[in-house]
Amino acid sequence: MNSHETHAAVPGALAPAVAVEAELPAPALDVPKVSARYIWLMVLAQFGVFVAFITPLAISLAIRVNQLAPANQEYLGYITGAGALAVMVTSPFLGMVSDRTRTRIGRRRPFMIAGTVLGVISLLVMAYAPTVLILGAGWILAQLGWGQVLSNLQISTADRLPESQRGKVAGLTGFSTQVAPVFGVVIAGGFAADPLLLFMVPGVVGVVLVALFVLFVHEADSRGMVFSAKMTPASMLRNYLYNPRRYPDFSWNWLGRFLFYFGLTLNTTFSAFFFASRLGIPVEQVGGIIAMLGGAGVLATTAGALGGGFLSDRLRRRRLFVLFGGILMAAGMILMAFSSDLPLLIAGSLITSMGIGMFSAVDQALLLDVLPEKATDAGRFMGITGFATSIPQSAAPLIAPVFLAIGAAGDQKNYTLLFVVAAGFVLLGGGVIMRIRSAR
């Protein structure tokens, strides 16, 4: 195995509940560069997970809900909300277990293998579900299974990427995860009449690409790891929280990410209704416009992710790119908020997409720069970071109607105010990131 793929650790103050004994080798100041093989297998694996996992969210679940309960489309929201809640509750716990797993094949690969198996089972459950309730149970299993694969792939980057490669890898994985849903929807579109193929063909893509990573990326034997404190129910609950004063830069990154995704969710949740209102057409006729913007948005998001990721590595600066991504996105939202014709709406949407790509990719690299306890608690803190995304995705849609109702007349909702508020949250998120001091 290439020496660039050896596992090394990054130092940090040890959390009381997960301190590591002196038998472990002393962590180095930085880790060696990973090989091109590691990078491309990581990119392909995350692409595969998104094809298998996001395809149901994008199209397959909607098709099955329409088959099982054609008059109750709101069930789709209940199903996806339940899945998001399950992930939010379990992610830090599973991250802690991953940190403490001791096997010959390492700490992360067992969870990738088990998650893939559970993910395949979940796809079968959803394909054959006779009721909406069982369909929902299948989606929760998918969130737990494929979600663990993705989580441990990302924790692997925390374990192994040096600072000089984090932006590049974040940009490339950001590109792959933007393209994957489009690829998955195209595949699924050809099998809409066959529930089994609808779910399993994208699933096979995920299995193959994750298997390549598991088989060909070496992970150090973790059986020699010794922990001074046992993991008890009480310690696990305590580890869902941490002292922000002890890790201020991680906390600023968490808050910036929270504000960004709150604004993003405010912007995207009602996009179909927003376009219908601005263009004066029924919601049913917006689908083609949304699809066109989605395709162009992938290119814009990819440009932001790759451009921001690669340049942030080359210039060795993260915060300015994150701030600029927030400014771009806010500018696009403001342009959309005050537009009433299609060309300006398209321009605003594309600017917003480019900002999303730059912010999310470079902030992912910045997260790895400031992540506490990489040697021992990477999984735990990556799980805590997940709250910064999942809480806004749950809370923002509930709060958005308040802004829509202010100054509304009749059936006309105040989308201008909603988008301006969303832009404010995004800008605030970028500004908060600038408070980080340990990374440039």
Side-chain angles (χ1 to χ4, degrees), residues 39-395:
I39 293 173
W40 288 111
L41 287 174
M42 172 63 70
V43 171
L44 287 173
Q46 291 202 33
F47 176 86
V49 171
F50 269 70
V51 169
F53 182 40
I54 303 301
T55 300
L57 187 59
I59 186 170
S60 307
L61 273 176
I63 292 173
R64 290 293 284 137
V65 167
N66 191 58
Q67 291 171 346
L68 296 172
N72 298 100
Q73 296 178 357
E74 69 275 11
Y75 288 171
L76 179 61
Y78 302 151
I79 290 171
T80 56
L85 179 63
V87 170
M88 186 170 69
V89 170
T90 59
S91 284
F93 164 72
L94 292 171
M96 287 181 258
V97 176
S98 175
D99 287 335
R100 286 171 163 256
T101 295
R102 289 169 282 189
T103 71
R104 183 178 60 81
I105 61 173
R107 294 185 289 172
R108 314 306 179 192
R109 285 197 286 181
F111 284 83
M112 296 179 199
I113 295 168
T116 301
V117 172
L118 183 59
V120 171
I121 293 172
S122 74
L123 297 177
L124 289 170
V125 170
M126 289 188 286
Y128 288 114
T131 66
V132 170
L133 185 62
I134 294 177
L135 181 66
W139 178 243
I140 291 173
L141 291 179
Q143 287 271 20
L144 296 176
W146 292 112
Q148 271 306 291
V149 180
L150 181 61
S151 175
N152 279 272
L153 286 168
Q154 293 174 338
I155 297 170
S156 174
T157 65
D159 292 338
R160 304 176 67 159
L161 287 180
E163 183 180 354
S164 62
Q165 290 182 303
R166 291 169 187 162
K168 178 200 303 184
V169 174
L172 288 170
T173 54
F175 161 72
S176 71
T177 55
Q178 287 296 316
V179 174
V182 178
F183 184 81
V185 168
V186 171
I187 293 176
F191 301 107
D194 189 323
L196 180 61
L197 296 178
L198 177 68
F199 285 93
M200 293 308 300
V201 172
V204 169
V205 175
V207 170
V208 170
L209 295 181
V210 171
L212 290 175
F213 185 90
V214 170
L215 291 173
F216 295 110
V217 172
H218 173 73
E219 185 180 352
D221 190 326
S222 62
R223 289 176 293 181
M225 297 185 70
V226 179
F227 295 87
S228 61
K230 293 182 178 180
M231 190 167 65
T232 65
S235 70
M236 285 188 293
L237 287 175
R238 284 197 302 270
N239 283 343
Y240 269 62
L241 304 174
Y242 73 98
N243 184 352
R245 292 183 178 180
R246 188 174 183 183
Y247 309 112
D249 286 345
F250 173 77
S251 302
W252 287 124
N253 184 268
W254 192 100
L255 180 58
R257 181 176 288 219
F258 175 92
L259 293 168
F260 174 83
Y261 280 100
F262 197 95
L264 174 61
T265 306
L266 287 177
N267 172 254
T268 56
T269 300
F270 295 91
S271 57
F273 297 100
F274 166 74
F275 276 97
S277 174
R278 288 302 162 92
L279 298 175
I281 60 176
V283 174
E284 292 78 10
Q285 296 179 18
V286 174
I289 296 172
I290 297 294
M292 180 267 293
L293 285 175
V298 167
L299 298 177
T301 305
T302 297
L306 290 177
F310 277 76
L311 283 173
S312 74
D313 274 351
R314 188 174 184 83
L315 301 178
R316 302 186 66 181
R317 296 188 181 277
R318 309 276 192 224
R319 295 180 301 162
L320 284 176
F321 283 97
V322 174
L323 176 61
F324 186 61
I327 292 172
L328 268 180
M329 187 173 175
M333 289 179 177
I334 295 295
L335 181 58
M336 294 174 70
F338 293 97
S339 298
S340 58
D341 57 64
L342 187 58
L344 286 178
L345 289 172
I346 292 173
S349 178
L350 294 180
I351 293 171
T352 300
S353 295
M354 183 174 291
I356 292 170
M358 183 173 294
F359 187 106
S360 57
V362 183
D363 187 62
Q364 181 67 19
L366 182 59
L367 168 64
L368 299 184
D369 292 344
V370 301
L371 192 72
E373 316 290 0
K374 291 188 184 74
T376 58
D377 274 7
R380 171 197 171 196
F381 281 99
M382 290 292 277
I384 290 172
T385 300
F387 289 146
T389 304
S390 57
I391 294 174
Q393 289 174 343
S394 301

